Amino acid sequence: MFNLILFGPPGSGKGTQSEKLIEKFGWIHLSTGDLLRKEIANATQLGLEAKAFIDKGQLVPDEVVIGMIGSALDANPNAKGFLFDGFPRTEAQAEALDALLAGKGSEITLVLALEVGEEELVARLLNRGLTSSRSDDRDENVIRKRLQEYHNKTAIVADYYAKFGKVARIKGEGTIDDIFQSLVAEIEAKQPA
Ligand code: AMP
């Protein structure tokens, strides 16, 4: 199995690049943001609870997202690989993911970390807010809170995986296709011959 974490701050292009990577490599795409928005759209209890955090730009509690990922892994026993997008976002989530994968005799293969300057991130998210249905992209205060959460709780996740030599950092500015080619080159360097 090839298990990829596409890592980076909000607005770094994880969603855009995930779609292209899934199409090329045929992995299962697991985006906790998408899963949470689906729960909200279906007005479930979990969705209702998550919405309060999302609307404030705060992370949803670890146990909620870890539970969702555990169920998604169990629901895809024959996957040739998973692309984790927007997860893990805390060190506790990273440790839980490692344990879930170890339970299936697998592990994270590679972490690709997209790097984009702070003001470029804010500009991209505000721009996305003009056309998307995401309320958390429309308010600059919420955007800044999400970036703060990233710096305080999420950035360390790259350091956690760097200890195991699993992280490649990729410049996330430039054309979508150039960034995609950089990601593909790192993945192909890790693919078994
Ligand atoms: P995203 O679509 O990945 O930008 O996620 C949107 C929002 O969902 C985030 O700002 C968080 O409130 C919440 N969220 C998504 N993934 C996670 C996660 N792994 N841990 C905690 N909260 C999350």
Side-chain angles (χ1 to χ4, degrees):
M1 266 213 290
F2 198 104
N3 296 310
L4 174 73
I5 296 174
L6 190 56
F7 187 80
S12 58
K14 300 188 297 296
T16 303
Q17 296 294 341
S18 288
E19 279 176 28
K20 293 172 71 71
L21 291 168
I22 289 305
E23 196 186 334
K24 182 172 172 69
F25 293 103
W27 302 317
I28 304 282
H29 182 200
L30 294 183
S31 155
T32 40
D34 286 351
L35 292 170
L36 289 166
R37 282 185 288 276
K38 225 171 272 170
E39 296 281 342
I40 293 170
N42 292 334
T44 64
Q45 183 63 30
L46 189 155
L48 215 68
E49 285 167 20
K51 190 176 187 311
F53 293 95
I54 293 173
D55 284 350
K56 284 186 257 173
Q58 294 172 357
L59 292 185
V60 170
D62 286 335
E63 57 274 20
V64 174
V65 288
I66 292 166
M68 287 193 326
I69 289 288
S71 306
L73 292 178
D74 288 343
N76 293 283
N78 299 318
K80 60 191 242 195
F82 291 95
L83 191 169
F84 298 95
D85 161 9
F87 179 90
R89 261 177 156 99
T90 62
E91 192 161 347
Q93 291 178 24
E95 287 168 355
L97 177 59
D98 282 356
L100 284 168
L101 291 173
K104 298 181 186 305
S106 194
E107 62 177 343
I108 289 299
T109 315
L110 178 65
V111 179
L112 292 175
L114 289 167
E115 300 191 316
V116 177
E118 190 90 357
E119 289 314 307
E120 168 76 12
L121 293 172
V122 176
R124 284 188 192 181
L125 290 166
L126 281 170
N127 192 46
R128 187 167 79 185
L130 297 176
T131 51
S132 93
S133 55
R134 287 185 56 165
S135 55
D136 60 345
D137 284 341
R138 276 190 229 119
D139 180 331
E140 185 162 345
N141 290 326
V142 174
I143 288 174
R144 298 229 176 244
K145 178 67 191 170
R146 284 158 63 201
L147 292 170
Q148 203 182 326
E149 288 277 81
Y150 173 80
H151 291 299
N152 291 344
K153 298 176 185 166
T154 305
I156 49 162
V157 171
D159 304 333
Y160 169 87
Y161 285 107
K163 283 191 297 209
F164 306 105
K166 293 186 172 179
V167 180
R169 297 179 191 269
I170 305 281
K171 187 164 173 274
E173 296 183 44
T175 71
I176 289 174
D177 279 332
D178 284 349
I179 298 164
F180 179 63
Q181 290 313 324
S182 306
L183 296 171
V184 168
E186 293 289 344
I187 291 164
E188 290 184 340
K190 280 268 184 178
Q191 291 267 33

